[in-house]
């Protein structure tokens, strides 16, 4: 099953491109999300509209499209995927890949990606057996590109031999095999909190904070992509539910704690939510009115600390409990004392002073504070922070075994 996996499918120009439509359908049926890039040649055989309908996503075609570039830059396009699949791959695109050419969106994405690439070649038998193609193939294999097919059989050009693209179900199986080999957290359970909490004052008003949920959501997605059975407990955000996670939507801190406890046992808990420290002690059952008797006095009560509670859970404490510390000064020192106070294993400390733009922004600068010391991470996107954290978790759980 491919739940939560994101495939970038590059369709280049060969008659086998019609089979790629079936591939999109099969990959999605297995749970993957598929985003397509169609080359100019590919568009001679299938239309962007049919790929878009099957993938239920936009189809990207043009390197120099201002709209595409604004929505999803070509670098991000290939980095946002877990696997890039080129099907069909023509002799031409193989040659460009081997040479590192980047003269359209597909080849640029292929040159810019830091993800694995699976290629399903499809071409005339003589083109396939040509020394130039075979040399390109050898170069690409040496660089770690994965291949499926081509198969031997009758060809659209009337010849017989190797050159037919692997069948869509064979390619889908190769994609599944790839992810099975790359799911180091399969069999593990993860619990992630994300977003702000809303603490009601009366039926229409609440106390909230500016957390966007981007970091927590990215962490849940990163753990799910690595095979963990992931529950994401989130306060109200504007984000879509990440693919492949079990989602529990909550509003208040107390609801968040109850949802977390219901999701135990877990091997990993990451508390990235910006939980409100206080709530209004007694929520008014009717909307508070301006009635001339002055402003209402809100009595506050302390909210449960979810991170501390999970860290202190008697029988079902997760093996690795990770919290965040958003600080505006003395970031690491505060994080060290927070780690001890809350009883968690790691604290990811970050500076959220307004000039950093971390709160609600796309980037984060992390210091990982553990019993072993402090790791300073360079500034990176919240998505990259999530991936790096997931890799560190894998390392840690592996070392503990
Ligand atoms: O104490 P402070 O809010 O700075 O701690 C931040 C860390 O504690 C975060 O990981 C946050 O998710 C967690 N936390 C929590 N429950 C609270 C307050 C904070 O889980 N009530």
């Amino acid at each position: 099953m491919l739940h939560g996996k994101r495939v970038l499918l590059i369709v280049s120009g060969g008659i086998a491109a019609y089979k790629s439509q079936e591939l999109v359908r099969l990959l999605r049926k297995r749970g993957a999300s598929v985003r397509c890039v169609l080359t100019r040649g590919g568009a001679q055989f299938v239309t962007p509209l049919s790929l878009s309908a099957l993938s239920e996503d936009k189809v990207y075609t043009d390197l120099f499209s201002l709209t595409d570039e604004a929505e999803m830059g070509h670098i991000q396009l290939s980095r946002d995927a877990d696997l890039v699949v080129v099907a069909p791959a023509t002799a031409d695109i193989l040659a460009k890949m081997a040479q590192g050419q980047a003269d359209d969106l597909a080849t640029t994405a292929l040159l810019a990606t830091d993800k694995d690439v699976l290629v399903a070649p499809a071409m005339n038998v003589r083109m396939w057996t040509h020394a130039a193609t075979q040399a390109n193939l050898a170069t690409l294999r040496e660089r770690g590109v994965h291949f499926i097919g081509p198969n031997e059989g009758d060809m659209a050009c009337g010849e017989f031999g190797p050159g037919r693209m692997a069948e869509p179900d064979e390619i889908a199986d190769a994609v599944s095999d790839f992810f099975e080999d790359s799911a180091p957290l399969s069999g593990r359970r993860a619990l992630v909190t994300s977003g702000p909490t809303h603490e009601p004052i009366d039926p229409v008003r609440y106390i909230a904070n500016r957390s966007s949920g981007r970091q927590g959501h990215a962490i849940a997605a990163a753990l799910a992509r690595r095979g963990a059975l992931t529950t994401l407990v989130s306060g109200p955000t504007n984000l879509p539910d990440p693919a492949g996670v079990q989602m529990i939507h909550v509003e208040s801190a107390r609801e968040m704690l109850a949802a977390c406890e219901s999701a135990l046992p877990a091997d990993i808990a990451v508390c990235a939510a910006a939980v409100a420290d206080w709530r209004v002690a007694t929520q008014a059952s009717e909307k508070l009115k301006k009635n001339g008797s002055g402003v209402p006095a809100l009595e506050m009560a302390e909210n449960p600390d979810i991170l501390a509670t999970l860290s202190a859970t008697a029988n079902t404490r997760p093996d690795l409990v990770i919290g965040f510390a958003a600080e505006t000064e003395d970031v690491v020192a505060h994080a060290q004392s927070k780690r001890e106070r809350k009883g968690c294993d790691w604290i990811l400390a970050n500076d959220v002073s307004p000039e950093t733009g971390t709160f609600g922004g796309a980037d984060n600068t992390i210091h990982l504070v553990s019993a072993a010391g402090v790791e300073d991470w360079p500034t990176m996107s919240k998505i990259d922070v999530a991936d790096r954290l997931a890799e560190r978790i894998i390392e840690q759980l592996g070392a503990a075994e």
Side-chain angles (χ1 to χ4, degrees):
M1 279 297 137
L2 297 171
H3 283 292
K5 301 292 184 285
R6 301 161 308 171
V7 173
L8 181 72
L9 174 64
I10 295 177
V11 179
S12 70
I15 180 65
Y18 79 92
K19 291 192 197 169
S20 301
Q21 301 178 105
E22 175 65 0
L23 177 61
V24 175
R25 206 185 60 78
L26 291 177
L27 291 173
R28 293 203 63 213
K29 203 165 137 200
R30 295 182 187 198
S33 61
V34 183
R35 177 166 278 162
C36 298
V37 170
L38 187 59
T39 67
R40 204 182 326 186
Q44 300 292 323
F45 296 93
V46 288
T47 67
L49 190 61
S50 45
L51 285 176
S52 173
L54 288 163
S55 64
E56 288 187 76
D57 199 350
K58 189 180 152 72
V59 170
Y60 293 81
T61 51
D62 188 357
L63 181 59
F64 298 110
S65 156
L66 271 181
T67 332
D68 288 5
E69 213 37 43
E71 280 174 10
M72 168 71 65
H74 60 275
I75 306 281
Q76 204 56 33
L77 195 59
S78 55
R79 296 198 160 214
D80 262 7
D82 301 305
L83 176 68
V84 181
V85 176
V86 190
T90 58
D92 177 60
I93 206 165
L94 289 181
K96 284 178 172 158
M97 285 171 73
Q99 289 301 314
Q101 280 186 35
D103 61 359
D104 64 1
L105 181 60
T107 48
T108 307
L110 282 162
L111 195 60
T113 193
D114 55 355
K115 298 297 158 51
D116 282 85
V117 180
L118 171 69
V119 171
M123 65 197 74
N124 167 273
V125 55
R126 288 167 211 283
M127 291 167 84
W128 173 251
T129 51
H130 195 285
T133 302
Q134 291 302 312
N136 291 334
L137 194 71
T139 304
L140 292 171
R141 273 197 211 286
E142 199 172 298
R143 282 189 207 141
V145 172
H146 312 273
F147 284 88
I148 168 85
N151 295 343
E152 197 171 280
D154 288 325
M155 315 208 66
C157 51
E159 295 193 56
F160 182 90
R164 281 171 63 94
M165 185 172 85
E167 294 304 321
D169 60 337
E170 293 173 315
I171 302 175
D173 285 347
V175 171
S176 295
D177 289 348
F178 169 82
F179 283 116
E180 228 159 80
D181 294 345
S182 64
L185 289 176
S186 80
R188 308 271 193 184
R189 293 173 65 102
L191 166 62
V192 180
T193 71
S194 184
T197 62
H198 284 185
E199 307 298 332
I201 298 171
D202 66 17
V204 296
R205 303 184 179 94
Y206 56 82
I207 297 172
N209 62 62
R210 294 188 196 281
S211 166
S212 64
R214 290 168 84 157
Q215 187 62 82
H217 277 53
I219 290 168
L223 294 172
R225 277 201 302 280
R226 288 164 176 79
L229 192 61
T230 305
T231 303
L232 173 58
V233 181
S234 175
T237 72
N238 290 323
L239 301 173
D241 296 348
V245 307
Q246 276 177 307
M247 197 71 206
I248 308 182
H249 292 280
V250 297
E251 297 220 335
S252 68
R254 288 190 296 176
E255 286 169 14
M256 186 172 274
L257 176 60
C260 287
E261 286 177 331
S262 77
L264 291 177
D267 304 285
I268 307 147
V270 184
C271 291
V275 184
D277 291 319
W278 306 285
R279 67 179 179 278
V280 177
T282 328
Q283 182 191 340
S285 56
E286 303 295 339
K287 184 181 168 193
L288 296 177
K289 295 266 189 313
K290 278 190 281 188
N291 56 12
S293 59
V295 292
L298 297 180
E299 196 194 326
M300 306 298 277
E302 192 161 337
N303 266 335
D305 190 309
I306 298 164
L307 176 61
T309 308
L310 293 176
S311 301
T313 319
N315 296 323
T316 48
R317 185 191 190 279
D319 295 335
L320 195 54
V321 183
I322 302 168
F324 275 77
E327 307 286 351
T328 52
E329 27 97 55
D330 280 345
V331 176
V332 169
H334 279 126
Q336 272 158 336
S337 60
K338 187 164 292 177
R339 195 184 78 82
E340 280 162 30
R341 214 169 48 244
K342 302 225 183 196
C344 61
D345 302 297
W346 295 353
I347 284 273
L348 300 197
N350 55 346
D351 189 344
V352 292
S353 41
E355 64 275 13
T356 63
T358 301
F359 238 46
D363 289 343
N364 218 341
T365 313
I366 295 289
H367 311 276
L368 191 161
V369 177
S370 69
V374 182
E375 281 174 31
D376 298 317
W377 294 1
T379 298
M380 52 183 119
S381 75
K382 289 181 179 176
I383 291 178
D384 288 344
V385 166
D387 280 327
R388 181 146 175 181
L389 177 62
E391 292 302 325
R392 281 293 283 112
I393 289 172
I394 291 162
E395 231 175 79
Q396 183 68 22
L397 294 178
E401 275 173 0

